[in-house]
Amino acid sequence: MHKENSNELTTKRLLTPWSSPKESSIQFSIKALEILLAELGWPLPEKWVENWSKRGGVELAASKWPSGIKSDWIWGVGLPFLTDLERFLEAKNERYIFGISGLPGCGKTSLGKWIESAALDLNFPISVISLDDFYFPYQKLKQVMAGNPWDVPRAIPGSHDIDLMQRTISTWKETGKLIAPQFDKALRAGKGDRSGWRESKPKVLVIEGWFLCCKSLNILSINSDGSNTLTPLEMSYRVKVQENLSKYKKVWEYFDRLWHLKALEFSSTNKWKEEQEANMQKERGSSLKGTELNSFLRMINTAIPQSSLEELNANVIAKINAERTIKWIGRREDE
């Protein structure tokens, strides 16, 4: 196996979207990124690169990225996200919420872990949690999920304790102290259960979730996306899903900024979710598989109209292909 010497490693670490030649993994529009950076307070990209290079650059919290992470995620998503966050840390006596929305398996959780680790290195008062941490405890979850046509144990709108989530956020907003539940998806043979609580005092809270900030639709719009492929029970249950989704509106109103990791092809989530469960099986010895996994994939593809998951009112959009390569990153209005 070829081993890179120190000079090769140094050169690799200095590659940026503006390098000539730039690294092959960087395929997104440089112009769109520059417009975004200018909005975030950095009209000169070289100054932005210099700023982050002094603070670690691609080495910042590098161990938290999944194996094989490429520069497009670092320069195109990770560091711009931290740049956006940092602006809000300067405000006095205010607390803010950022959201990361994207289909299951797209990379939200990995990005969140990196953000929290990088924030710790930078002494940024930031905490990252998941919408999934607010799933009901197992017995209650089993009750509210009973009768769904996909027989999934969680994930559909209605499987989260919205009242708890609202209380958690409002208490944090008032006191600065965040006390949030944690949910372990590997428990109970992959069906998951509550696994404790975490406490922190963030200035900015980041929440990630697969239908985060997705708006509910009226009944006439529910089956307007090729619903002839749905079974009668799935079509009927979509009404209940939308009724449940409308209850999340009071939580969505708390969000100040939203980043959308947008799949170029909706079907990519099938591949990503299978990889995600395979990794959990390898790491934790428990996961969804076989019929349970197939049912979960069917739910992702049919429970919520795909158009409403793709047309979020996000501030920033990162378009990714099936290989999770960033193909475009920028402001929603420039998409």
Side-chain angles (χ1 to χ4, degrees):
M1 179 181 291
H2 172 66
K3 294 183 178 180
E4 296 173 305
N5 60 40
S6 59
N7 289 333
E8 288 175 323
L9 286 172
T10 300
T11 300
K12 185 175 181 180
R13 288 168 183 166
L14 291 176
L15 288 174
T16 75
W18 297 272
S19 299
S20 182
K22 63 184 179 184
E23 188 172 339
S24 59
S25 71
I26 298 177
Q27 300 177 18
F28 52 78
S29 165
I30 305 304
K31 182 62 177 177
L33 175 59
E34 289 177 345
I35 294 173
L36 171 61
L37 292 178
E39 182 182 78
L40 301 183
W42 293 90
L44 300 176
E46 61 272 20
K47 293 295 184 181
W48 180 75
V49 170
E50 180 182 353
N51 169 65
W52 283 110
S53 295
K54 290 178 179 178
R55 302 160 92 177
V58 296
E59 295 302 308
L60 180 62
S63 64
K64 294 299 180 180
W65 285 113
S67 176
I69 193 67
K70 297 179 181 178
S71 292
D72 59 340
W73 275 83
I74 299 170
W75 293 108
V77 179
L79 295 178
F81 193 98
L82 287 178
T83 302
D84 198 359
L85 283 172
E86 190 171 19
R87 299 183 305 147
F88 289 79
L89 295 176
E90 299 171 357
K92 294 182 179 180
N93 302 318
E94 291 288 342
R95 301 179 183 90
Y96 300 93
I97 297 183
F98 272 54
I100 303 174
S101 192
L103 294 175
C106 70
K108 301 184 303 298
T109 301
S110 295
L111 176 62
K113 289 180 179 178
W114 178 82
I115 290 169
E116 195 161 52
S117 182
L120 184 62
D121 290 348
L122 295 166
N123 200 29
F124 286 178
I126 294 170
S127 291
V128 181
I129 61 176
S130 173
L131 178 65
D132 294 350
D133 285 323
F134 290 89
Y135 282 139
F136 287 110
Y138 176 72
Q139 292 299 334
K140 175 68 173 179
L141 192 58
K142 188 176 179 179
Q143 177 185 341
V144 299
M145 288 293 94
N148 76 78
W150 308 278
D151 196 29
V152 292
R154 58 178 187 271
I156 307 173
S159 55
H160 304 89
D161 189 336
I162 300 174
D163 290 338
L164 173 61
M165 191 174 188
Q166 190 173 25
R167 290 197 306 272
T168 298
I169 293 174
S170 62
T171 298
W172 165 69
K173 282 272 193 179
E174 293 172 6
T175 68
K177 187 174 183 179
L178 179 72
I179 304 177
Q182 292 181 300
F183 192 91
D184 189 339
K185 297 176 183 178
L187 296 177
R188 299 186 182 273
K191 291 181 171 60
D193 202 354
R194 286 265 178 92
S195 59
W197 299 76
R198 61 174 293 186
E199 297 185 15
S200 59
K201 293 183 177 181
K203 181 72 178 292
V204 177
L205 177 62
V206 180
I207 304 177
E208 54 94 355
W210 82 276
F211 61 83
L212 198 76
C213 293
C214 180
K215 296 180 180 178
S216 58
L217 303 172
N218 60 51
I219 295 178
L220 294 177
S221 301
I222 292 174
N223 297 319
S224 63
D225 63 335
S227 57
N228 58 320
T229 62
L230 275 63
T231 68
L233 184 56
E234 287 173 334
M235 292 180 67
S236 175
Y237 205 85
R238 267 192 170 188
V239 176
K240 182 174 182 178
V241 169
Q242 290 297 317
E243 290 173 349
N244 287 332
L245 186 57
S246 67
K247 300 173 184 176
Y248 290 74
K249 182 181 178 181
K250 57 188 178 183
V251 174
W252 300 163
E253 291 174 349
Y254 281 110
F255 285 78
D256 299 286
R257 297 278 287 175
L258 178 66
W259 283 56
H260 184 193
L261 303 182
K262 186 175 182 179
L264 287 173
E265 296 182 2
F266 198 96
S267 60
S268 296
T269 190
N270 297 335
K271 172 176 176 286
W272 297 336
K273 185 62 180 175
E274 289 173 353
E275 293 173 350
Q276 187 180 62
E277 293 298 322
N279 288 334
M280 188 160 69
Q281 180 66 36
K282 184 184 299 182
E283 296 172 1
R284 303 291 307 280
S286 180
S287 66
L288 295 175
K289 46 186 173 291
T291 302
E292 289 183 336
L293 177 56
N294 290 334
S295 295
F296 207 95
L297 295 177
R298 176 71 181 176
M299 179 276 296
I300 293 170
N301 283 276
T302 60
I304 300 174
Q306 295 180 7
S307 59
S308 61
L309 291 166
E310 294 173 335
E311 299 169 6
L312 302 179
N313 188 26
N315 301 99
V316 181
I317 294 175
K319 297 180 182 180
I320 58 180
N321 66 12
E323 285 68 46
R324 298 190 186 86
T325 299
I326 307 298
K327 302 295 287 186
W328 193 90
I329 174 72
R331 306 183 307 169
R332 181 174 183 267
E333 56 262 43
D334 299 322
E335 185 182 8

